[in-house]
Amino acid sequence: MSPVTVISLTESGRALGDRIADLYTGAVHMYRPQPFATIVRNQFLDGRRLALIMASGIAVRVLAPVLADKRKDPAVVVLDDKGRFVVPLISGHEGGGNEWARLLAGHLGAQCVITSAETYTRPTTVAGMGCDRGCPAETLEMLLHETLAQTGLAICDLAGLSSIELKRGEPGLKAMAGRLGLSIGFYPPECLHAYVDRLSARSEIVFRETGCYGVAEAAALAHAEHLTGSTAELIVAKRKNARATCAVARAYARPPPGERT
């Protein structure tokens, strides 16, 4: 996903903007930028997602001249300076604004206000990881951060980690999860093998060693589906370094019976 620019106009909004910027790798927070309209429009035209801490009317008037196509415009969300509400304003569906607003509201303890017609469910995002025996926690955590950066997500966006049952006793995984405050789901190889047709690539070497053709992607898919009861999708295919692999999947919880979809 595209990088984030946060723009605030008040002192309380400035503190909120700092909180939001800290959530995203490469995010920029601008407080009362001048010339205001030019800077906001240029950030938008550069393809950056905008979190605007200001009245929605101001946001609309500033961005109206540069809006082009909902399939191409970056997502824009608007927040009040107390951080009580998050409203996706532009590119809610095609640009991912609705999903981003939900995630952001979750981080801030705010209410997400979506006005477009859709099912009001939040995605559950998990990271699947595989590693060599004795892989250090620092090596795993570095790869996890690098992988999340591909989507504009942060550790706080994760509902948990997952791996193969063979790694349950791996000290590096345990140490990393404890440091990040995340739980880990472990799955037997026969469960992960069921995801073979949904992997971005198959490894014969991994199959000989574990009984499944891929650990990180299959574990991410399995855990996301376990947590939600819904079909998961990979949002970051397997990335690797010299000692570990990581992938990210998400799924949407099924709406309660009778809820309009």
Side-chain angles (χ1 to χ4, degrees), residues 6-83:
V6 185
I7 298 176
S8 59
L9 299 178
T10 66
E11 281 298 328
S12 54
R14 185 177 190 174
L16 176 62
D18 287 339
R19 287 177 61 195
I20 295 171
D22 286 344
L23 295 171
Y24 303 100
T25 302
V28 175
H29 176 204
M30 299 180 178
Y31 173 62
R32 294 182 180 176
Q34 295 296 328
F36 175 71
T38 298
I39 289 176
V40 176
R41 290 168 184 165
N42 285 343
Q43 292 291 305
F44 182 82
L45 291 172
D46 284 344
R48 298 180 67 92
R49 290 181 290 164
L50 301 183
L52 304 180
I53 307 173
M54 61 190 69
S56 58
I58 296 175
V60 169
R61 285 193 293 273
V62 169
L63 291 173
V66 292
L67 297 180
D69 188 320
K70 66 180 182 179
R71 290 175 291 275
K72 298 179 181 179
D73 290 339
V76 177
V77 299
V78 175
L79 303 91
D80 64 291
D81 63 4
K82 300 297 188 297

Side-chain angles (χ1 to χ4, degrees), residues 71-111:
R71 290 175 291 275
K72 298 179 181 179
D73 290 339
V76 177
V77 299
V78 175
L79 303 91
D80 64 291
D81 63 4
K82 300 297 188 297
R84 295 169 299 183
F85 303 99
V86 184
V87 183
L89 188 68
I90 294 170
S91 295
H93 285 298
E94 287 78 2
N98 291 353
E99 179 182 334
W100 181 33
R102 291 192 193 98
L103 289 170
L104 188 53
H107 303 325
L108 302 175
Q111 180 178 349

Side-chain angles (χ1 to χ4, degrees), residues 126-164:
V126 300
M129 303 200 75
C131 64
D132 293 343
R133 182 177 299 174
C135 183
E138 294 75 17
T139 300
L140 290 163
E141 187 171 344
M142 182 180 299
L143 178 60
L144 177 60
H145 282 289
E146 291 172 354
T147 304
L148 290 173
Q150 300 302 301
T151 63
L153 298 175
I155 297 297
C156 55
D157 294 308
L158 292 178
L161 304 172
S162 57
S163 191
I164 192 168

